[in-house]
Amino acid sequence: MKKVLLVGNPNVGKSVVFTRLTGAEVMISNYPGTTVDYTRGRMKLGGETVQVIDVPGTYSLEPSNPAEAVAVQMLPSGDVLVNVVDATNLERNLYLTLQLLERSQPMVVALNMWDDAQHLGIHIHVEALQRMLGVPVVPTVALTGEGISELVKRLQEVRVPERHLMQERDLWAEVGRITSQVQKVSHRHHTFWERLGDATVKPLTGMPAALLILAAAFVVVRLIGEGLTRYVMDPLFELYRPLATWLGKALGPGLLRDFLIGTLINGKIDFLQSIGLLTTGLYAPFAVVLPYVVAFYFVLSLLEDTGYLPRLAALTDGLFHSLGMHGHAIVPVLLGFGCNVPGVLATRVLETKRQRFIAAALIAIAVPCLAQSVIVFGVLGRYGLRYVAMVYGTLALLYLTAGIVLNRVVGGESPELFAEIPRYRKPAWRTTARKTWLRAKSYLADAVPWMLAGVALVNLLYATGAMHWLARLAQPVVQGVWGLPGNAAVALLMGFLRKYVAVGMLLPLGMTAEQLTVAVTVLSIYFPCAATFAVLIKELGIRDTAKAAALMVLLSLLVGGLMRLALMGL
């Protein structure tokens, strides 16, 4: 099968062009031997099915990081190259274009963001540029689809360009010559969106704006998530309740009913607390978590598509550098608040093993997922928001403190942030919806099976008595260090399997608000859920995951003990 490779600088719209060409059904893969992702899909070209690959972004063919190295390694496999160029930054983009032409591979140039160039007073003579490069040049606006059909048509007319190898200095001279002959810029005043873009990237105005935007984002997530749960998922599960109740009666008392239906609460099924594979096992991932995951990914896609996320990365770069990473680490953190599994997977945006270890460990320790956050508010919200604030304040302080320490003790490199900041754009709702669906589908595939497995394992541990045996071993720590009732050990042990279930189990134990605050905080720190733990092993390896796990245990003992002293005394 022929391969069409989309190649270009970061933030030039390659992913949107890819989506326009292939639709929503795509596959995310690792390049062999690396943790660098690339995306592949399929399209029809002249009656033939071809593979389309979105190559990692690169500024040149002399790689400076693992993603650029993968981009260079992938080029020989392409039958046709589509060089996606940002029309608003022609001079910067043409350096890579000329390097690609020297490879003598069939190529088309997609002059993307054509509408932005027009708005900015940038006029490019397309025919002249096409003659000088010797390959087809097609103006496109990928967000709206403008020019995509012409791009597909020109892909069938490509030919091998004839260019001679040039030295770097000569390449830049050629870039300047071409740009001066094909591009003219007319005088214009800054638009509102340009002034807003400047304001939101400068620390003095950008940080307050970031706090407001993120606060608004999480309010929107909460409203959408609550709405989907209350008006869509809860009614669906009420329709399902008679079937589950009938099945429980048909099975009768015994291990199988306990395994599938779980424990009846006040004589009926409680979808959150019954802990059956067909009750809590289905309700928690689909009715409790999925609505908030969909809402979160929708808002995150909006932040990406409008161009705000790169600004947030630039704003937070200094903070994350002090923690051993750089500004792109904000992406795994934001994803981690949705679900820790994609949060850990997103650490691949960081270039070095050191950065990825620090980012993944801090997510597992101090970034509560939406499922856990929902339950935390449900457990502590009745006692006042100050207790909720204590939990999140402690986790935020722990994230910063642990990051500073890891930055000092973990060896390796932490390169600088090199990123282009795009102009603000109106999001394309179709594209945003597709991205939201793809991410939600990834959650269903990666996290839900582990949730079901966790509920099943809990039931088996209960049935065999192993859970209570483990709890008795943990009671000295639970009572003596954290000041919690001994039977809270069962709930805390369950946290490894699924934290939202464990937090829900704390409610019937009659603990005070202070004890619940300590328990919920410890539960957040001491181990990630089984799904996240499995992904940590996949991304970091067993050895580094073991180091992270040891750190989690140590910090949970220390922080839980200090919180007990602060809230309850001895």
Side-chain angles (χ1 to χ4, degrees), residues 2-7 45 75-83 97 100-109 133-136 151 154-162:
K2 287 186 177 180
K3 292 183 180 179
V4 176
L5 270 55
L6 304 185
V7 189
L45 186 63
L75 288 178
S77 68
D79 297 292
V80 180
L81 305 182
V82 176
N83 177 212
T97 302
L100 292 172
L101 290 173
E102 291 179 343
R103 295 182 58 85
S104 297
Q105 287 179 268
M107 191 170 93
V108 176
V109 173
L133 295 180
V135 295
L151 177 63
R154 300 299 293 274
L155 279 173
Q156 302 174 65
E157 305 171 5
V158 293
R159 59 182 182 274
V160 177
E162 296 181 5

Side-chain angles (χ1 to χ4, degrees), residues 78-221:
D79 297 292
V80 180
L81 305 182
V82 176
N83 177 212
V84 184
V85 168
D86 178 359
T88 67
N89 287 285
L90 183 63
E91 187 169 18
R92 184 200 69 199
N93 282 244
L94 280 180
Y95 184 80
L96 176 62
T97 302
L98 295 182
Q99 286 188 314
L100 292 172
L101 290 173
E102 291 179 343
R103 295 182 58 85
S104 297
Q105 287 179 268
M107 191 170 93
V108 176
V109 173
L111 204 55
N112 200 34
M113 303 185 188
W114 185 253
D115 56 338
D116 278 354
Q118 304 301 301
H119 297 157
L120 293 170
I122 299 173
H123 305 282
I124 299 173
H125 196 302
V126 176
E127 291 77 11
L129 180 60
Q130 187 169 267
R131 286 195 304 270
M132 298 182 78
L133 295 180
V135 295
V137 177
V138 182
T140 60
V141 183
L143 283 176
T144 64
E146 180 182 342
I148 297 298
S149 60
E150 178 66 15
L151 177 63
V152 174
K153 178 182 176 182
R154 300 299 293 274
L155 279 173
Q156 302 174 65
E157 305 171 5
V158 293
R159 59 182 182 274
V160 177
E162 296 181 5
R163 296 194 68 90
H164 302 291
L165 293 176
M166 303 173 68
Q167 299 298 320
E168 181 177 3
R169 180 178 300 180
D170 296 331
L171 274 175
W172 279 116
E174 181 72 356
V175 166
R177 185 182 73 85
I178 294 174
T179 304
S180 65
Q181 293 189 32
V182 304
Q183 177 178 278
K184 291 183 180 180
V185 181
S186 58
H187 175 72
R188 52 181 295 281
H189 296 289
H190 278 208
T191 65
F192 165 78
W193 292 107
E194 288 172 333
R195 289 194 293 269
L196 181 64
D198 292 339
T200 50
V201 81
K202 295 176 181 176
L204 186 62
T205 52
M207 290 307 295
L211 294 175
L212 289 174
I213 291 170
L214 291 179
F218 280 100
V219 168
V220 172
V221 168

Side-chain angles (χ1 to χ4, degrees), residues 5 10 24 52 85 159 175 236 368 408 431-432 437:
L5 270 55
V52 182
V85 168
R159 59 182 182 274
V175 166
L236 288 176
R408 292 181 177 274
T431 301
T432 301
W437 160 241

Side-chain angles (χ1 to χ4, degrees), residues 430-444:
R430 181 181 177 187
T431 301
T432 301
R434 281 180 172 178
K435 291 170 71 173
T436 302
W437 160 241
L438 286 173
R439 286 170 168 165
K441 188 169 70 171
S442 176
Y443 155 78
L444 291 172

